[in-house]
Amino acid sequence: MNALASTNRNFRHAARLLNLDSKFEKSLLMPYREIKFECTIPKDDGSLVSYVGFRVQHDNSRGPMKGGIRYHPKVEHDEVNALAQLMTWKTAVVNVPYGGAKGGIGCSPKDFSVSELERLTRVFTQKIHDVIGVNIDVPAPDMGTNAQTMAWISDEYSKFHGYSPAIVTGKPIELGGSLGREAATGRGVVFATEALLADHGKSIKGLTFVIQGFGNVGSWVARLIHERGGKIIAVSDVTGAVKNPNGLDIPALLEHKEKSGSLSNFDDGDMMNADELLIHECDVLVPCALSGVLTRENAGDVKAKFIIEAANNPTDPEADEILSKKGVVILPDIYANAGGVTVSYFELVQNNQHIMWDEEKVNAELKKYMAGAFNSIKSMCRTHECNLRMGAFTLGVSRVAQCTLLRGWGC
């Protein structure tokens, strides 16, 4: 099942629990706007190359639409549409005043020079500048993009609309970015994990963790769990997988990855088959990579007691059912990885007020938002007698539905 079908299925289940009218349900599911366009740039050698770009704006009933821009070969319409919809429910779950959007280009960033990436980003911005804005749609970094990408977007946008630092979030500190934003998604994952474990009478300290993905999110999750006394026994990324039953030395692994660009040949661990990482014995499994990694083929072999969805859509619906029957507790993506968009909201607040918070305040506010959202999800679970995924979906969908009705639907 692809990402869009999976997301639609979860939405419809939540809509039934909420007893939404079928026409209203269809309206909530329908994107506000979908854009597909060509991005053609000259390469450094003078040749021309073209790529397909997307921006899907799903819903704006609760505020400006918000969502990342990813550069990845697998970027395509259905994936972007699903991720835009997830952003709508995600922003509602953590109760920040945004709607949902997503965008990207189907390309491989590692195949570009820095100057080529800049040209591609500026062309992308030229194609969407008239449908984004501080009060319309605010992009942010995602897979394959970063603060520098946001700086280029901000600069290109300013050529058409004047200086507008709040047009993007996740930008460099020097250009109005927020302290703590780089670590925000990973830190939010850890705050969410702490809330879940506390609800089960446990804490991070002493538990074993397996982390799939060691990019921005995965590396911050690993670092923060390690600092809290958690034992990370296996980690993987596109370069390989490494394990140590006694716990990996995460600071040393981060240094090794920074120097070598790979997890391979790490002295304090043994290489393992990356395909076996998801079914490795552990207390907590944290998928931080691509969608659809937990499927009906491998779900039955998963040994973790808790799964924290730091990635978007990592669990297929079939796998979800299998894992639930096994008693595995899954913390859903629309809550678990909402730290990034929450701190993006803090960044926008700082831009609008022309002030800068210190990092301690950013982290404290993030913890408060994540704790509050978890309590709200648990309340929905009790009301609808459902699991955490449906608790999160019913919470997000109900908040969007309420705002849509208050603004006047069907008129």
Side-chain angles (χ1 to χ4, degrees), residues 118 121-130 132-134 137 139 149-168 171 175:
E118 179 177 353
T121 301
R122 290 184 182 277
V123 169
F124 181 89
T125 308
Q126 291 164 15
K127 296 298 178 82
I128 65 169
H129 77 89
D130 56 344
I132 63 173
V134 176
D137 177 4
T149 315
M150 298 304 105
W152 291 329
I153 292 174
S154 177
D155 182 70
E156 191 66 25
Y157 182 85
S158 72
K159 294 177 182 178
F160 296 93
H161 304 279
Y163 181 63
S164 305
I167 181 55
V168 290
K171 53 191 173 287
L175 296 179

Side-chain angles (χ1 to χ4, degrees), residues 66 91 94-98 138-140 165-166 168-171 173 176-185 187-188 191 338-373:
K66 189 85 184 74
T91 53
V94 288
N95 208 17
V96 295
Y98 286 136
V138 182
V168 290
T169 58
K171 53 191 173 287
I173 303 297
S178 174
L179 295 169
R181 177 61 182 85
E182 180 187 354
T185 304
R187 193 177 297 277
F191 286 153
V341 72
T342 303
V343 175
S344 281
Y345 167 56
F346 300 163
E347 183 175 329
L348 187 68
V349 169
Q350 294 170 76
N351 290 161
N352 289 340
Q353 294 182 345
H354 301 283
I355 59 173
M356 178 174 278
W357 297 355
D358 59 42
E359 192 165 356
E360 184 178 355
K361 179 174 181 178
V362 172
N363 293 341
E365 289 293 315
L366 174 58
K367 185 172 185 177
K368 182 171 73 174
Y369 271 71
M370 295 303 290

